[in-house]
C-alpha cells in the first residue's frame, strides 16, 4: 500500500448476484453473511461469508416475499421473516428434520420489525410494541418465550459482539433503550437521550437509524451518533458524538469527533479506530479516542491524519462457486 493511502479493501471480496426483480439481497451483520434469495428461495438461496467455509447454497419453498433472513451462530438454524406477524425456521443441524416451523409474535396487533440471534438457539423478535426473547428447540420444532418487554419502538440496532439491542423510543425517536442478552437472560440497561441539533415542533421522528451505530472500542461499548450540520443550530459542520454505554450505570456522552465538513457519511471500525467515510470527496477520516485529555468529561477529537481516499481496487471477474444442497 502506497503512502498516499491509509486504508485498503480485502484482496478476497465476497461476490454475489446483484439485486433485481427476481433476486433479493440481504446482509447479516452478526455473521457477516450475504444472502442472495432468488424467487423467494424456490430457485435457490446462496449464502456467502468472509471465508469459503461459511458458503452454502440451498432451496426452500416460495411462501411469499422474504423480508429478512439470517442464520443462527454456526449456521445451525435458519430464520426467515415473510410477514409482519411471524418468523419461520428451518433446521440445518445434521440428522434433524428440515421441515419448516413457525412462531408468531405474542403481542396482539404488533408488527415484527425484525429479529436478532443472540445465541445458536436464542432469538429476539423486535416489534413496534416491544421485544420478545425466545429459546428455540430444533428437535421439537418449537419455541419457548423466555421474557418480553412492552415498549413503543420506532427502529432498532444490534451489536453482535456484546449482544446488546438498542431500541429507539418516543415520538422524536431520540430516547434509546438498550437491552443486554447473555446465557438465556435479558437485562434492561439504563435508557438515555440523544441531544438533537434541532427539536421539531410539532414533535416528529427526528433520529434516524442511519445516523446511529454501535461499536466496541478498546473493550468498551459505545453508541455513535452522526450529528449532521444544522443552519438553525449554528453548527458549521457535522460531527460524530460517542456515548459510552456501560453494562451497569448511566450512559454518558464522552467523545466528539469533528468532521470539519458536511454531506453524507458512513462509519466503520478498524483496529479500535473510528473511520468516517465522506461520500462527495471520496475520502476517509481516522480518529483515535485514546488520544484524549486527562480528567476531561467530554473529549473533542480532530482526525489523527489528513483525509485520504481508500486504495483503489479492481474487481476480478471470475467468482468461486459454492456447493448446492436442497432443503425440503
Amino acid at each position: 500500500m502506497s503512502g498516499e493511502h491509509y486504508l485498503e479493501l480485502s484482496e478476497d471480496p465476497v461476490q454475489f448476484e446483484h439485486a433485481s426483480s427476481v433476486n433479493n439481497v440481504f446482509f447479516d451483520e452478526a455473521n457477516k453473511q450475504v444472502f442472495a434469495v432468488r424467487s423467494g428461495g424456490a430457485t435457490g438461496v446462496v449464502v456467502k461469508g468472509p471465508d469459503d467455509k461459511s458458503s452454502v447454497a440451498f432451496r426452500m419453498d416460495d411462501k411469499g416475499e422474504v423480508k429478512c433472513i439470517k442464520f443462527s451462530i454456526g449456521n445451525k438454524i435458519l430464520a426467515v421473516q415473510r410477514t409482519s406477524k411471524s418468523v419461520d425456521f428451518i433446521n440445518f443441524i445434521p440428522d434433524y428434520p428440515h421441515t419448516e416451523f413457525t412462531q408468531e409474535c405474542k403481542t396482539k396487533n404488533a408488527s415484527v420489525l425484525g429479529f436478532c440471534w443472540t445465541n445458536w438457539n436464542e432469538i429476539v423478535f423486535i416489534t413496534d410494541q416491544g421485544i420478545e426473547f425466545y429459546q428455540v428447540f430444533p428437535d421439537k420444532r418449537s419455541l419457548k418465550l423466555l421474557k418480553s418487554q412492552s415498549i413503543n419502538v420506532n427502529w432498532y440496532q444490534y451489536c453482535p459482539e456484546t449482544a446488546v439491542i438498542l431500541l429507539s423510543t418516543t415520538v422524536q425517536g431520540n430516547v434509546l433503550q438498550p437491552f443486554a442478552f447473555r446465557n438465556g437472560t435479558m437485562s434492561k440497561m439504563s435508557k438515555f437521550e440523544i441531544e438533537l441539533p434541532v427539536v421539531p415542533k410539532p414533535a416528529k421522528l427526528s433520529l434516524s437509524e442511519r445516523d446511529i451505530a454501535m461499536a466496541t472500542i478498546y473493550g468498551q461499548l459505545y453508541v455513535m451518533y452522526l450529528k449532521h450540520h444544522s443552519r438553525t443550530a449554528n453548527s458549521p459542520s457535522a460531527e460524530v458524538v460517542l456515548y459510552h454505554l456501560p453494562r451497569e450505570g448511566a450512559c454518558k456522552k464522552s467523545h466528539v469527533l469533528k468532521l470539519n465538513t458536511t454531506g453524507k457519511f458512513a462509519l466503520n471500525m478498524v483496529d479500535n479506530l473510528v473511520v468516517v467515510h465522506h461520500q462527495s470527496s471520496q475520502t476517509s477520516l481516522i480518529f483515535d479516542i485514546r488520544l484524549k485529555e486527562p480528567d476531561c468529561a467530554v473529549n473533542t477529537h480532530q482526525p489523527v491524519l489528513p483525509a485520504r481516499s481508500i486504495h483503489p481496487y479492481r474487481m476480478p471477474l471470475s467468482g468461486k462457486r459454492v456447493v448446492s444442497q436442497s432443503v425440503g
Side-chain angles (χ1 to χ4, degrees):
M1 188 162 55
S2 71
E4 297 178 12
H5 309 280
Y6 315 131
L7 303 167
E8 65 180 2
L9 301 175
S10 166
E11 293 183 357
D12 191 18
V14 177
Q15 298 188 54
F16 53 90
E17 185 179 346
H18 65 83
S20 65
S21 58
V22 295
N23 187 61
N24 288 339
V25 177
F26 303 88
F27 179 64
D28 174 20
E29 180 68 38
N31 290 321
K32 303 289 187 285
Q33 290 175 325
V34 178
F35 287 75
V37 182
R38 289 183 59 86
S39 307
T43 55
V45 179
V46 178
V47 187
K48 291 187 175 182
D51 57 68
D52 289 341
K53 291 179 181 178
S54 60
S55 298
V56 62
F58 56 91
R59 285 186 293 274
M60 60 186 185
D61 294 337
D62 183 1
K63 297 182 179 179
E65 181 186 357
V66 173
K67 297 176 181 291
C68 186
I69 182 169
K70 299 174 187 176
F71 269 118
S72 70
I73 298 164
N75 293 1
K76 295 186 186 312
I77 307 169
L78 180 71
V80 185
Q81 183 190 350
R82 298 184 175 98
T83 75
S84 62
K85 300 296 179 186
S86 64
V87 177
D88 303 323
F89 297 87
I90 306 172
N91 287 325
F92 273 71
I93 303 170
D95 302 325
Y96 276 59
H98 283 313
T99 314
E100 282 194 25
F101 53 104
T102 302
Q103 177 65 50
E104 290 193 1
C105 67
K106 299 285 188 182
T107 311
K108 193 176 181 181
N109 300 323
S111 294
V112 178
L113 302 177
F115 60 85
C116 301
W117 287 102
T118 57
N119 205 334
W120 79 267
N121 65 340
E122 292 170 1
I123 192 168
V124 182
F125 291 6
I126 301 97
T127 76
D128 57 355
Q129 297 181 33
I131 55 176
E132 301 174 0
F133 183 33
Y134 292 94
Q135 185 174 1
V136 184
F137 296 94
D139 53 339
K140 299 177 181 176
R141 297 173 49 246
S142 64
L143 282 78
K144 175 187 177 183
L145 181 65
L146 299 176
K147 199 169 184 180
S148 62
Q149 176 82 43
S150 295
I151 183 172
N152 289 329
V153 180
N154 302 305
W155 47 262
Y156 70 95
Q157 292 272 13
Y158 180 55
C159 179
E161 291 84 9
T162 56
V164 171
I165 293 177
L166 196 64
L167 305 180
S168 160
T169 69
T170 70
V171 176
Q172 293 175 179
N174 65 321
V175 176
L176 303 182
Q177 175 63 68
F179 289 87
F181 298 85
R182 182 181 290 170
N183 300 329
T185 63
M186 180 177 91
S187 306
K188 189 176 183 179
M189 301 167 70
S190 298
K191 68 180 178 181
F192 62 100
E193 186 173 334
I194 297 287
E195 300 170 14
L196 296 173
V198 178
V199 178
K201 293 182 180 180
K204 64 178 181 178
L205 186 61
S206 303
L207 184 64
S208 166
E209 60 189 298
R210 293 191 304 270
D211 296 330
I212 293 290
M214 285 192 288
T216 302
I217 310 174
Y218 294 117
Q220 298 295 314
L221 178 59
Y222 288 88
V223 174
M224 301 189 289
Y225 165 45
L226 179 55
K227 188 176 182 180
H228 291 281
H229 156 73
S230 171
R231 290 186 181 89
T232 52
N234 197 28
S235 56
S237 64
E239 56 191 30
V240 178
V241 184
L242 270 63
Y243 293 81
H244 179 221
L245 186 56
R247 280 279 173 179
E248 296 179 1
C251 179
K252 293 181 180 178
K253 177 180 174 180
S254 57
H255 300 274
V256 177
L257 315 182
K258 293 291 187 178
L259 304 184
N260 305 317
T261 187
T262 61
K264 292 184 178 180
F265 303 91
L267 303 174
N268 78 295
M269 300 298 305
V270 180
D271 297 334
N272 291 308
L273 300 176
V274 181
V275 183
V276 184
H277 309 284
H278 185 226
Q279 186 182 58
S280 60
S281 67
Q282 298 184 358
T283 58
S284 302
L285 298 165
I286 297 176
F287 296 87
D288 186 355
I289 66 169
R290 187 166 273 183
L291 303 175
K292 62 179 183 177
E293 296 293 329
D295 304 320
C296 185
V298 179
N299 281 271
T300 300
H301 301 262
Q302 294 291 338
V304 295
L305 294 164
R308 291 282 190 271
S309 61
I310 297 174
H311 192 278
Y313 182 81
R314 189 181 298 275
M315 284 285 261
L317 291 176
S318 60
K320 297 176 182 176
R321 300 186 65 184
V322 294
V323 180
S324 177
Q325 70 180 71
S326 181
V327 176

